[in-house]
């Protein structure tokens, strides 16, 4: 065992083997092929010369001829055929798996044409893999950005579908999608939900006399007043025409009454300076409370606020009607 280990680590033998290996490895394929042909020819010649000296037996010639043929073939396979097969196998494997070849799996320890071919296969497969990874990363990035843009556009379209384009408030669809959920949330938290139903007084005569642009300006004004005076949790909605709603989750009747009075006052100040006195405009507002009125649904709450709105109109317009005035 000690002798074998000594031979394995003997520096002089390792240097000799490396010189012999590198000397053969540095030769080109043409030189190696020529050397093998010359070796086979010299072996055949030696067999012909030595055969009479060994007694002229036919079997001796046959054995020497076989040796002269098989030894060069074995060397050719080890030095040429097997390295080429490894290069071809690794190239096919890289193509199938889309993974780069490993240089340890290629015959890159020689300086001949096979070594150069192996290096080219390794470099090209590695470069192709890098390009493929970069392309995949770019595709994933683009897909993610397209998905984000699509989602943003979809959300924008949904918001547009639930917004009144003239006032920027929510529309009837917005009310339908959120009302019952808001009522359920307030009931579960035992908080009140105040509904203000707002209608513009004498809007039709103003619209007919001054034209639709003047009517649109009044509607925009009321929308701006609502957005500028409600709380961040409150919802302003234009249900159609000159009819508006304000939903105040967690509000109270006192705060809702103050808001209604403030809207009436601000709106009245504006129209007095912009409209003829012959066309007076104002706001009639009806209030309803989830806790006080105990409606069966969100729709019933809105209907209760509408009833009080018409009570305010019948009482002379420009008024605020609550359960205390009914």
């Amino acid at each position: 065992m000690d002798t074998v280990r000594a031979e394995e680590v003997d520096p002089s033998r390792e240097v000799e083997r490396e010189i012999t290996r590198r000397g053969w490895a540095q030769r080109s394929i043409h030189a190696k092929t020529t050397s093998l042909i010359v070796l086979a020819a010299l072996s055949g010649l030696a067999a012909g010369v030595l055969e009479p000296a060994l007694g002229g037996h036919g079997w001796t010639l046959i054995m020497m001829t076989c040796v002269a043929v098989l030894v060069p073939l074995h060397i050719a396979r080890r030095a040429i055929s097997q390295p080429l097969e490894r290069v071809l196998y690794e190239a096919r494997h890289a193509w199938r798996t889309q993974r780069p070849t490993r240089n340890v799996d290629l015959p890159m320890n020689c300086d001949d044409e096979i070594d150069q071919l192996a290096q080219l296969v390794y470099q090209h497969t590695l470069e192709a893999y890098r390009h493929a990874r970069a392309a995949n990363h770019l595709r994933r990035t683009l897909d993610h950005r397209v998905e984000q843009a699509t989602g943003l556009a979809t959300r924008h379209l949904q918001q547009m579908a639930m917004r009144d384009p003239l006032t920027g408030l929510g529309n009837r669809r917005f009310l339908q999608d959120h009302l019952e959920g808001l009522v359920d949330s307030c009931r579960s938290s035992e908080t009140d939900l105040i509904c203000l139903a707002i209608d513009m007084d004498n809007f039709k005569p103003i619209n007919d006399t001054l034209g639709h642009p003047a009517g649109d300006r009044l509607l925009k004004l009321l929308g701006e007043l609502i957005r500028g005076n409600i709380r961040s949790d409150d919802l302003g909605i234009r249900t159609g025409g000159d009819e508006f709603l304000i939903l105040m989750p967690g509000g109270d009747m006192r705060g809702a009454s103050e808001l209604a009075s403030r809207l009436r006052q601000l709106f009245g100040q504006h129209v007095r300076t912009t409209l003829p006195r012959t066309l007076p405009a104002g706001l009639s507002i009806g209030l309803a409370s989830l806790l006080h009125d105990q409606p069966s649904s969100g729709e019933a709450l809105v209907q209760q606020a509408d009833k009080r709105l018409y009570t305010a109109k019948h009482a002379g317009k420009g008024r605020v009607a609550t359960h205390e005035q009914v």
Side-chain angles (χ1 to χ4, degrees), residues 264-281:
R264 285 182 53 254
Q265 180 182 3
L266 293 172
F267 186 79
Q269 290 174 355
H270 177 82
V271 298
R272 280 195 297 268
T273 60
T274 57
L275 295 179
R277 292 186 177 181
T278 56
L279 295 172

Side-chain angles (χ1 to χ4, degrees), residues 151-163 171 173:
L152 182 62
T154 301
R155 289 192 296 271
H156 182 63
L157 288 174
Q158 291 175 345
Q159 291 175 355
M160 290 178 60
M162 293 188 180
R163 292 290 171 184
N171 57 17
R173 178 179 174 183

Side-chain angles (χ1 to χ4, degrees), residues 22-33:
R22 296 298 296 174
W24 170 258
Q26 290 176 353
R27 296 184 180 182
S28 65
I29 297 297
H30 176 74
K32 289 178 180 179
T33 305

Side-chain angles (χ1 to χ4, degrees), residues 179-293:
L179 178 59
E180 298 304 332
L182 188 60
V183 169
D184 292 340
S185 177
C186 289
R187 279 178 173 163
S188 63
S189 60
E190 298 182 353
T191 56
D192 204 356
L193 174 62
I194 309 298
C195 177
L196 288 77
I198 306 172
D199 187 82
M200 198 179 299
D201 299 327
N202 302 318
F203 178 72
K204 189 176 185 306
I206 295 173
N207 211 30
D208 294 340
T209 304
L210 301 180
H212 292 291
D216 288 346
R217 286 193 294 271
L218 286 179
L219 294 173
K220 288 181 180 179
L221 168 65
L222 183 52
E224 292 172 359
L225 291 176
I226 291 174
R227 288 201 309 273
N229 287 274
I230 61 177
R231 305 170 306 170
S232 59
D233 293 336
D234 297 341
L235 302 176
I237 302 163
R238 182 190 176 196
T239 57
D242 60 332
E243 298 176 353
F244 293 78
L245 285 180
I246 297 176
L247 296 174
M248 301 177 63
D252 55 67
M253 291 298 293
R254 179 179 178 179
S257 297
E258 292 176 354
L259 173 61
S261 299
R262 186 164 59 251
L263 290 175
R264 285 182 53 254
Q265 180 182 3
L266 293 172
F267 186 79
Q269 290 174 355
H270 177 82
V271 298
R272 280 195 297 268
T273 60
T274 57
L275 295 179
R277 292 186 177 181
T278 56
L279 295 172
L283 299 179
S284 294
I285 304 175
L287 277 65
S289 165
L290 181 65
L291 293 182
H292 181 272
D293 295 302

Side-chain angles (χ1 to χ4, degrees), residues 46 73 211:
L73 286 177

